[in-house]
Amino acid sequence: MFSRAFRVRSNTAIKGSDRRKLRTDVAAAFPNLSAEQLTEFIPNKEELNVIKIYCHKGEAVTVYMNNKNPILFEIEKALYPTVYTLWVYPDLLPAFSTWPPVLQKLAGGADLMLPGVVVPPSGFPQVERGTLCAVTLLGNRAPVAVGVATMSTAEMLAAGMKGKGFAVLHTYMDHLWEYGDKSYPPTLAPLVTDSAEKESAEDEEMEGKEPAISLCTDPLQHMNVGDLSLQEQDSCAILVGKEELDENRAAETAEDASTEGLQEAEDSRTPQEQMDALFNQCFFHALKCKVKKSDLPLLTSTFLRSHMFSCCPAGQQLDIKKSSYKKFSKFLQYMQHQKILQVKELNKGVESIVEVDWKHPDVKAFAVPEGFSSASAAHDSKSEDREQVYHAPEIIPLYGVSTKMIPLFQESGHRKGSILSSSEVRNIIINYVKANELVDETNKNFVKVNAILCDCLLDKSEQDEISHLKWDDLLSRCLERLQPLHQVTFFGQEPVVRKGNIEPIDITIAQRSSNKKVTIIKNLELYGLDPQCVANILQQKVQASATITPIPGTKDRVQVQIQGNQIHHLAKMLLEEYHLPRKYVQGLEKAPKLGRKK
């Protein structure tokens, strides 16, 4: 839920009566807390704040803060503890353990799958479906995630520990954690509740068969789990065991010894310097092995998602916010300043790489790391890889306060250019009407039009005729007179707010010579789709010629053109495979009718 940035709507202090109500709600939600712990958790005198936020999908969430750390968040009147709270009260929720490498996937927005859950010798805690649970890392009792069980303990075991186990709401390292002091989880020794487990642990220690596991304060600097590999399917983290571990252990030990000096040198760099170096490595690797001249122009989002991500070494993850650049566009600007490539905005708000200097000394000097497949193999599977990794962008309609609408919104603290969601606009209008007592006393479905509503919402010809408006008419007129905006969030990138309404993908049928038809597709770039990639995939699916052509009357914009009426195939690909909402695809009604041959 908090894997991406959220917008803060308001921040207010919690006073006496509200503080007492919050303490009562916490006591009901978490009966395990003693009276002393409850007073410590919701203190009488320390500063407490309540923050209203909107997540990237538009969910309204209430966050409670204490000592500048979020301690609780509330969704639909249900309270959930943050990791900061669980580090103080680690036994507040039933806990399930997972392997340290899974944490990075959970922080990226994945749910926890049952194959990634470690079964303890003493067995799982007994929970029911919908129970709020904590997720810990093996060897440390400090929770790193909060989630809801999607099945009971009995159902987990009956399913053979397969399927989704927990819907994850919040994790260490997500944006809610970043809103606090960004402290690391404490190291808390696991509780040994089973005598047999304790004896087994003592026997292993005496025999010296396995070294003791020690976790440092930062779980990302985790132990080397050699018998595990991580996969991600359907936005869920899955842990898959490897066989024949013992045969490889000797080789791994020798390799670790030989690279120890290199690792020490790398560790001397700051995390930001390490991330900068990782971005440089993946950038040059992608240019040298993944991108061809025929791929240009190439969307910068496609270059990052389909090319640079695939060049990232195992066990590492590209995160532009942890680098010194903070934004991928600034990283590309730096590379453009070095004259390695050229970036242009071919569509409004959409940047593409239009030129690459493969003879640049830095590109020529780059050596591909060992263990990666050859460039030819990468190019052979390029179309398939791009199709698999595409994620439809999240598009949220927004509204900007225009000059004419300022009088209506200034009472709520907004000014010209303030960006609001439709629900925020609705709440502001409702509060304005109630505060000014404009609800019609005889018919509450109508609102009386005062001077401000008249100036803001009525045309000159209507001002002498209309004295009342229905609620729906009032709200629709308000939205129509605000400046249309939209927020687009591409996978792995920060949200981008653009002016106007987003143009739909436009599909048309054109007639060519000899009465032949061709299908033309425009505006793919606005949705993070590479036109060349779409053309290649369609050509393979329908076995027809597909080309990229310039859009007439535009500069540097392209369209996909494919022989025949291929709208049925396009609809299946865009709606079913890429999961784009139908409202963002225009022209599907021109598909040929099935079942009748002429």
Side-chain angles (χ1 to χ4, degrees):
M1 173 170 285
F2 304 105
S3 59
R4 298 185 186 177
F6 52 75
R7 291 187 295 122
V8 176
R9 187 178 63 182
S10 63
N11 186 345
T12 56
I14 303 177
K15 298 183 179 179
S17 59
D18 293 333
R19 193 177 294 235
R20 288 191 293 271
K21 183 180 181 302
L22 177 60
R23 189 180 292 117
T24 303
D25 293 341
V26 170
F30 309 109
N32 292 342
L33 287 174
S34 64
E36 183 180 347
Q37 289 174 326
L38 197 60
T39 304
E40 179 186 33
F41 188 33
I42 310 294
N44 293 319
K45 295 183 179 180
E46 290 183 23
E47 181 182 358
L48 286 177
N49 289 76
V50 58
I51 297 175
K52 306 286 186 179
I53 66 172
Y54 280 116
C55 294
H56 66 282
K57 289 186 177 179
E59 308 102 318
V61 181
T62 302
V63 179
Y64 296 95
M65 306 282 293
N66 182 9
N67 289 329
K68 298 183 180 180
N69 276 341
I71 57 172
L72 293 165
F73 61 97
E74 184 177 0
I75 307 170
E76 296 180 354
K77 297 184 179 181
L79 285 172
Y80 303 91
T82 66
V83 290
Y84 290 107
T85 294
L86 293 177
W87 294 340
V88 180
Y89 309 106
D91 302 319
L92 186 62
L93 302 176
F96 292 77
S97 291
T98 187
W99 305 95
V102 178
L103 173 59
Q104 203 161 13
K105 296 294 183 182
L106 299 182
D111 288 326
L112 181 59
M113 302 296 282
L114 288 177
V117 179
V118 180
V119 183
S122 56
F124 287 137
Q126 295 300 312
V127 299
E128 297 298 324
R129 183 182 301 182
T131 301
L132 187 62
C133 301
V135 178
T136 65
L137 299 182
L138 187 65
N140 190 357
R141 198 159 49 93
V144 294
V146 179
V148 176
T150 59
M151 58 181 79
S152 66
T153 302
E155 289 171 335
M156 293 179 192
L157 298 173
M161 296 302 292
K162 294 180 180 179
K164 184 191 293 187
F166 302 89
V168 176
L169 302 174
H170 158 57
T171 69
Y172 161 65
M173 293 192 306
D174 67 8
H175 284 272
L176 184 58
W177 168 81
E178 287 184 354
Y179 205 71
D181 61 14
K182 301 181 184 179
S183 55
Y184 292 140
T187 302
L188 303 177
L191 295 176
V192 182
T193 56
D194 192 302
S195 59
E197 182 182 352
K198 186 182 292 186
E199 291 175 5
S200 174
E202 290 175 355
D203 291 343
E204 288 186 1
E205 185 178 354
M206 292 296 292
E207 293 175 14
K209 290 183 178 179
E210 295 289 341
I213 296 173
S214 61
L215 290 180
C216 59
T217 3
D218 185 356
L220 281 185
Q221 299 172 355
H222 49 257
M223 58 184 179
N224 185 16
V225 186
D227 57 339
L228 298 168
S229 66
L230 198 61
Q231 297 179 348
E232 190 174 2
Q233 297 178 356
D234 301 328
S235 298
C236 298
I238 304 177
L239 215 55
V240 182
K242 291 181 181 177
E243 296 179 356
E244 301 177 339
L245 168 67
D246 294 335
E247 297 178 7
N248 299 326
R249 235 175 220 171
E252 289 176 0
T253 305
E255 184 181 350
D256 289 343
S258 64
T259 58
E260 185 177 354
L262 179 60
Q263 289 175 352
E264 287 179 1
E266 290 179 350
D267 292 341
S268 64
R269 297 178 298 179
T270 65
Q272 189 177 81
E273 290 172 341
Q274 293 180 36
M275 185 57 66
D276 285 352
L278 183 61
F279 261 90
N280 280 327
Q281 175 185 323
C282 296
F283 171 80
F284 287 111
H285 188 175
L287 285 187
K288 198 161 188 175
C289 300
K290 301 284 184 179
V291 180
K292 295 186 297 185
K293 190 173 183 179
S294 59
D295 293 332
L296 304 179
L298 177 65
L299 291 175
T300 57
S301 58
T302 302
F303 177 64
L304 174 64
R305 183 182 66 243
S306 299
H307 299 305
M308 287 184 61
F309 278 7
S310 62
C311 294
C312 191
Q316 298 186 58
Q317 187 174 19
L318 290 171
D319 188 343
I320 193 67
K321 285 184 286 186
K322 293 181 180 178
S323 72
S324 61
Y325 303 99
K326 303 305 178 187
K327 290 184 178 181
F328 188 56
S329 58
K330 290 186 178 179
F331 173 77
L332 292 179
Q333 284 174 11
Y334 170 77
M335 292 302 176
Q336 184 169 257
H337 182 70
Q338 300 297 315
K339 299 183 179 180
I340 297 173
L341 49 71
Q342 187 176 356
V343 177
K344 281 187 178 180
E345 190 177 284
L346 302 185
N347 286 344
K348 190 176 181 181
V350 181
E351 291 187 333
S352 298
I353 298 172
V354 296
E355 189 177 333
V356 175
D357 181 10
W358 277 282
K359 294 182 180 180
H360 192 281
D362 291 348
V363 178
K364 293 176 69 176
F366 178 77
V368 178
E370 295 181 5
F372 283 93
S373 58
S374 64
S376 59
H379 283 301
D380 291 340
S381 61
K382 180 172 56 182
S383 298
E384 181 182 355
D385 290 341
R386 288 183 183 174
E387 186 177 6
Q388 290 175 352
V389 299
Y390 177 76
H391 295 265
E394 293 171 1
I395 303 169
I396 302 174
L398 297 174
Y399 301 89
V401 178
S402 57
T403 304
K404 187 176 181 180
M405 299 293 283
I406 291 175
L408 184 55
F409 285 85
Q410 62 185 4
E411 285 189 16
S412 58
H414 295 92
R415 56 185 180 180
K416 182 182 177 181
S418 294
I419 299 175
L420 305 167
S421 66
S422 57
S423 59
E424 286 177 313
V425 173
R426 180 184 178 87
N427 291 334
I428 290 170
I429 297 300
I430 291 174
N431 291 336
Y432 176 84
V433 169
K434 291 181 178 179
N436 291 275
E437 299 180 349
L438 297 178
V439 179
D440 193 314
E441 296 175 356
T442 58
N443 188 346
K444 294 187 178 180
N445 292 325
F446 285 85
V447 175
K448 292 181 285 186
V449 178
N450 65 359
I452 290 179
L453 290 178
C454 179
D455 292 340
C456 292
L457 304 182
L458 298 182
D459 296 331
K460 288 185 178 180
S461 59
E462 298 174 320
Q463 291 181 355
D464 295 331
E465 300 175 2
I466 298 177
S467 60
H468 292 74
L469 288 172
K470 284 187 175 181
W471 277 105
D472 290 344
D473 191 17
L474 175 71
L475 294 169
S476 63
R477 283 172 178 263
C478 183
L479 292 177
E480 287 171 3
R481 284 160 174 77
L482 292 171
Q483 181 185 6
L485 306 164
H486 64 277
Q487 175 181 289
V488 182
T489 307
F490 292 103
F491 179 74
Q493 299 185 42
E494 287 293 307
V496 177
V497 176
R498 299 173 184 159
K499 292 183 179 180
N501 296 312
I502 189 169
E503 294 182 58
I505 294 175
D506 184 38
I507 303 172
T508 56
I509 303 297
Q511 202 86 11
R512 294 291 184 259
S513 60
S514 304
N515 203 30
K516 291 183 179 179
K517 295 180 179 179
V518 293
T519 305
I520 299 173
I521 311 108
K522 303 176 185 176
N523 300 330
L524 291 168
E525 304 96 325
L526 300 178
Y527 297 82
L529 286 166
D530 187 344
Q532 185 64 58
C533 177
V534 171
N536 293 341
I537 294 170
L538 279 174
Q539 185 168 333
Q540 293 175 4
K541 285 180 179 289
V542 304
Q543 296 298 302
S545 174
T547 58
I548 301 296
T549 60
I551 297 178
T554 64
K555 185 180 179 181
D556 295 328
R557 291 188 61 183
V558 297
Q559 62 189 11
V560 176
Q561 181 174 298
I562 185 165
Q563 288 182 353
N565 188 330
Q566 308 297 347
I567 293 182
H568 280 305
H569 294 283
L570 266 171
K572 184 177 180 181
M573 183 172 75
L574 296 176
L575 304 183
E576 298 178 20
E577 297 177 22
Y578 291 168
H579 303 292
L580 283 167
R582 190 181 183 91
K583 63 182 177 180
Y584 297 126
V585 183
Q586 175 180 286
L588 296 180
E589 70 280 356
K590 299 169 187 173
K593 295 181 180 180
L594 300 176
R596 185 179 296 177
K597 295 183 180 179
K598 293 184 179 180

